[in-house]
């Protein structure tokens, strides 16, 4: 019953988003919405590896930037059409995840956090230092100025990402297996789970949508450079959104993405002289979330009951008769 | 006589300079309950870890159903029919009891609905069905030990390794776990069990293997072993003292 | 180009010597608290700026007030650590992840604060030792050693010896080592994990800040310098093997050499790439460090 209500709410939101451009013609609003939707996608993709699997990728932005650059390079230098280049952005991100994951996913989480963060810094350096990316000057893409097209493309892509992730993580066995890895990797092995393999699948699953979103972003904004697409802001924001919203769920990061992105938009609109203050607020928000709401907003407000229910006495025995032969309910102790 | 289900051939396991398991050999026949006993630190858990794939033996080999499994990873061994529990219980604390057992059920039931149904059956056998929707972190010690058994059983194993699943329980709880073990034996499961509580191990085991300082010092029926002078000195002597 | 090699090696060893101090303290903190501090570079940066402004206001040589900087930042670290400890001993969520996230958030916040306060330009800290240099021409080597680098090395040796003494010869050190090896057993032995953790974190922050001042005298300072040093710190502890202190000096020297060789022979802006490639290869073939002794 609860899920059906959730589904109904989602359907209403989706319908509203679908017809919105018919009502609102302001390009600024459309642009903000497009980017907001993109951030929902980036946050839930980040949460696949962080929240569900328990491995922090502090260089999530690298996948975004790699997707963006792949599309930029393929379209401008190989003259491939957008629709051919776009999936290849996802492929490039997946390959990066594979290469980064092989040495690190066998190891403890601290190594993974370090290595992903260092990788993202290294990739930014690489983009700054090689020719074919345009170096620090960045790269201009062929302009296709159709805000409505990008709004719908973003909406449909993120909608699809959400559905696929929801199915894999909440409906299919895969999500539970990832959670088992998160909770106890050694114990999971005894149950037939191969942690390294699952972590790798999770990491790739997190990378592909991120790369694709980077690709759409590049074509939409028509200009990419190492600081906008490969800088640390993308990773930092993803971390804030997910930690503040609530890890290990799809709705938490989505909520976090909406709130943080709304805040950012207002902040940058009115306080554009204080962009550095935004960085301070992001950092502080992470630290404060960790201390006061370690389960995030979603986990604290919505799922509070389910998280750590203290167990004193067994629930009233409403057990089927079949088990009473062996199993006598334990008395509370 | 048929091929034993498990053969431990001169297994040695060293940690740096320490030899935790020293040249131990024995075998387990199909359908038996074999008790593995010995004082604390004798190497019982380490031997379990070797058999279940957590450690590769330093020397020797482990043969399961005719195949050499030494050094194979635990997730592979779960697939061929070896289920195990952990002395230091390992519940997935953030998940419910049902989810814990469902995860193990995926091994034989790849569809989620099937796995859940199977997990319910297991929970009913082990008496945790009434707590299925509780967080595993909220279980009592007895509940957690039972959850360990449930997860191992959900693999539908042919061979079960139980590491101190009775120790720490009160007498009522202990009796229920013993009953459960006897029921599993009746269903045809082969069991290797480590247990400290003599009353339990003497009653349920068909045969005993005794370890001391990593070495096997005796093997035989409970009656033979309890009259073995080495054992009395090394083990019962200590308890009696 | 070969005639530059002695100079490159000398520079590398002198620089690597300084990195040893940060890396030992960083590695120690990891050993005791079991959390990686993503803010390590920012502590270095804060120390460097504190040195810069103290020098500007007082006109005194930065080497003179190194102890002052240590005391200030020891205090800061001592006060911050209980918060990290609280996060790590939380029961909700995953404390280990939360600890990492927390220091990551701190690093972002500190970077923002520094950029706000100090802007984007870079500078260096003047010291009386910055001018002079030694020449090794007399023994047939074309090597110049700036006095300030030599002072840096002296500082590094002194800090390393003091840490060595603290760890090996004092009760405090015994507690630290117990904590690093067996968290639970240490508690039974009467080691106060919280207090010891605070001291260790304070010492680590204090040393990082002091070393920041030296790096500011030798190289340069800027609000964004933290990132680079965080990567360097990671590089050293991973290469050494996480938590394996004895490997740290060698890894730090290697880092200094890589950096100086890139400065002299290649493009200095490729240093970070080179560091990453080495890090990657080590993780791939010997994830427990050069000596295989990490945890
Ligand atoms: N991972 C390990 N590293 C080092 N020593 C170990 C390890 N595991 C067990 N040991 C040592 O091996 C010996 C046997 O331990 P264990 O197998 O747990 O004994 P038992 O289960 O019979 O009480 C003990 O001395 C123990 O300290
Ligand atoms: Mg044991």
């Amino acid at each position: 019953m609860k899920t059906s209500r959730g589904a109904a709410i989602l359907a209403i939101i989706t319908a509203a988003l679908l017809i919105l451009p018919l009502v609102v013609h302001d390009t600024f609003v459309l642009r903000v919405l497009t980017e907001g939707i993109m951030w929902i996608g980036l946050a839930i993709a980040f949460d696949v590896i962080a929240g569900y699997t328990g491995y922090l990728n502090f260089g999530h932005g690298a996948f975004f930037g790699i997707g963006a650059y792949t599309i930029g390079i393929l379209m401008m230098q190989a003259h491939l059409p957008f629709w051919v280049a776009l999936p290849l952005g996802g492929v490039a991100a997946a390959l990066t995840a594979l290469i980064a994951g092989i040495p690190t996913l066998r190891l403890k989480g601290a190594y993974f956090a370090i290595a992903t963060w260092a990788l993202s810094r290294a990739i930014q350096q690489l983009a700054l230092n090689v020719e074919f990316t345009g170096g620090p000057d960045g790269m201009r893409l062929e302009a296709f100025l159709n805000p409505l097209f990008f709004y719908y493309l973003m909406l449909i892509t993120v909608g699809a990402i959400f559905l696929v992730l929801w199915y894999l993580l909440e409906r299919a066995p895969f999500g539970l297996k990832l959670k088992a890895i998160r909770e106890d990797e050694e114990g999971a092995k005894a149950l037939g789970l191969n942690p390294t393999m699952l972590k790798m699948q999770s990491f790739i699953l997190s990378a592909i949508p991120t790369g694709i979103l980077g690709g759409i972003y590049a074509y939409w904004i028509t200009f990419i450079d190492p600081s906008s697409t490969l800088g640390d802001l993308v990773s930092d924001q993803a971390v804030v959104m997910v930690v503040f919203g609530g890890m290990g769920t799809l709705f938490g990061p989505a909520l976090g993405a909406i709130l943080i992105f709304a805040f950012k938009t207002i902040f940058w609109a009115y306080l554009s002289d204080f962009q550095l203050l935004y960085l301070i607020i992001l950092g502080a928000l992470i630290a404060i979330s960790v201390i006061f709401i370690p389960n995030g907003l979603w986990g604290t407000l919505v799922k509070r009951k389910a998280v750590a229910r203290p167990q004193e006495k067994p629930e009233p025995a409403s057990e089927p008769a079949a088990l009473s032969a062996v199993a006598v309910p334990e008395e509370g102790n | 006589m048929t091929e034993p289900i498990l053969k431990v051939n001169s297994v040695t396991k060293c940690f740096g300079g320490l030899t935790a398991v020293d040249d131990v050999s024995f075998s387990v026949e199909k359908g038996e309950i074999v008790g593995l006993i010995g004082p604390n630190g004798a190497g019982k858990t380490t031997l379990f870890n070797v058999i279940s794939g957590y450690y590769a033996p330093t020397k020797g080999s482990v043969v399961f159903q005719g195949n050499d499994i030494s050094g194979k990873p635990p997730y592979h061994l779960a697939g061929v029919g070896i289920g195990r529990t952990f002395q230091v219980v390992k519940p997935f604390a953030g998940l419910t009891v049902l989810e814990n057992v469902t995860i193990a059920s995926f091994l034989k039931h790849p569809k989620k609905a099937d796995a859940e149904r199977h997990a319910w059956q297991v929970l009913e056998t082990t008496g945790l069905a009434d707590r299925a929707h509780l967080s595993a972190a909220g279980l009592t010690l007895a509940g957690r030990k039972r959850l360990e058994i449930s997860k191992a059983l959900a693999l539908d194993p042919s061979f079960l390794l139980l590491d101190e699943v009775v120790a720490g329980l009160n007498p009522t709880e202990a009796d229920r776990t013993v009953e459960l073990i006897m029921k599993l034996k009746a269903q045809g499961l082969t069991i290797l069990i480590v247990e400290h509580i003599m009353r339990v191990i003497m009653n349920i085991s068909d045969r005993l293997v005794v370890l001391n300082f990593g070495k096997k010092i005796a093997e035989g029926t409970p009656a033979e072993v309890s009259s073995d002078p080495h054992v009395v000195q090394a083990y019962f002597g200590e308890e009696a003292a | 180009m070969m005639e530059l090699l002695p100079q490159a090696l000398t520079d590398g060893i002198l620089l690597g010597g300084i990195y040893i101090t940060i890396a030992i303290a960083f590695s120690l903190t990891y050993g005791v608290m079991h959390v990686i501090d993503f803010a390590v570079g920012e502590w270095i940066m804060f120390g460097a700026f504190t040195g810069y402004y103290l020098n500007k206001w007082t006109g005194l040589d930065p080497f003179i007030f190194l102890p002052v900087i240590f005391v200030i930042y020891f205090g800061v670290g001592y006060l911050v650590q209980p918060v990290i400890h609280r996060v790590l001993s939380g029961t909700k969520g995953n404390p280990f992840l939360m600890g990492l996230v927390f220091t990551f958030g701190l690093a972002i916040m500190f970077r923002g604060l520094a950029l706000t306060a100090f802007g984007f330009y870079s500078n260096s800290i003047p010291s009386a030792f910055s001018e002079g240099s030694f020449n090794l021409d007399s023994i047939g080597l074309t090597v110049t050693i700036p006095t300030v680098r030599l002072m840096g090395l002296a500082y590094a040796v002194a800090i390393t010896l003091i840490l060595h003494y603290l760890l090996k010869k004092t009760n405090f050190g015994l507690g630290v080592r117990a904590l690093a090896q067996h968290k639970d057993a240490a508690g039974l032995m009467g080691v106060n994990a919280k207090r010891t953790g605070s001291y260790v974190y304070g010492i680590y922050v204090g040393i990082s800040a002091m070393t920041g001042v030296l790096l500011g005298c030798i190289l340069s300072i800027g609000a964004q310098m933290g990132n680079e040093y965080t990567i360097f710190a990671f590089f050293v502890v991973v290469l050494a093997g996480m938590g394996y202190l004895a490997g740290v000096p060698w890894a730090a020297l290697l880092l200094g050499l890589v950096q100086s060789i890139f400065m002299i022979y290649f493009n200095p802006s490729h240093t970070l790439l080179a560091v990453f490639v080495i890090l990657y290869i080590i993780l791939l073939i010997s994830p427990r460090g050069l000596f295989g002794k990490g945890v």
Side-chain angles (χ1 to χ4, degrees), chain C residues 235-242 244 247-248 251 288-294:
Chain C
F235 175 86
V236 173
V237 290
V238 172
L239 229 60
M242 284 240 226
Y244 180 60
V248 164
R288 296 169 71 208
L290 287 176
F291 312 93
K293 294 260 177 71

Side-chain angles (χ1 to χ4, degrees), chain B residues 100-167:
Chain B
N100 267 268
V101 181
T102 304
I103 289 165
S105 301
F106 287 142
L107 183 71
K108 293 284 168 69
H109 307 272
K111 288 225 180 76
K112 187 152 176 190
D114 298 345
E116 260 176 23
R117 200 172 313 125
H118 182 254
W120 274 113
Q121 285 167 4
V122 172
L123 288 175
E124 279 167 13
T125 319
T126 56
L128 277 179
D130 57 334
R131 270 155 287 179
H133 291 298
L134 285 184
S135 156
L139 291 176
T140 59
L141 178 69
R144 288 179 204 201
K145 293 218 161 180
R146 196 153 287 231
L147 179 58
E148 280 293 308
I149 302 180
S150 310
K151 282 156 82 173
L153 280 181
L155 300 169
D156 282 338
S158 48
F159 180 62
L160 200 54
L161 294 154
L162 301 175
D163 197 350
E164 306 209 9
V165 288
V166 182

Side-chain angles (χ1 to χ4, degrees), chain B residues 15 18 20 38-47 55 87 163-164 196:
Chain B
F15 296 111
L18 180 104
N40 259 326
K44 306 178 295 288
T45 299
T46 304
L47 187 55
Y55 300 143
Q87 179 181 354
D163 197 350
E164 306 209 9
H196 270 304

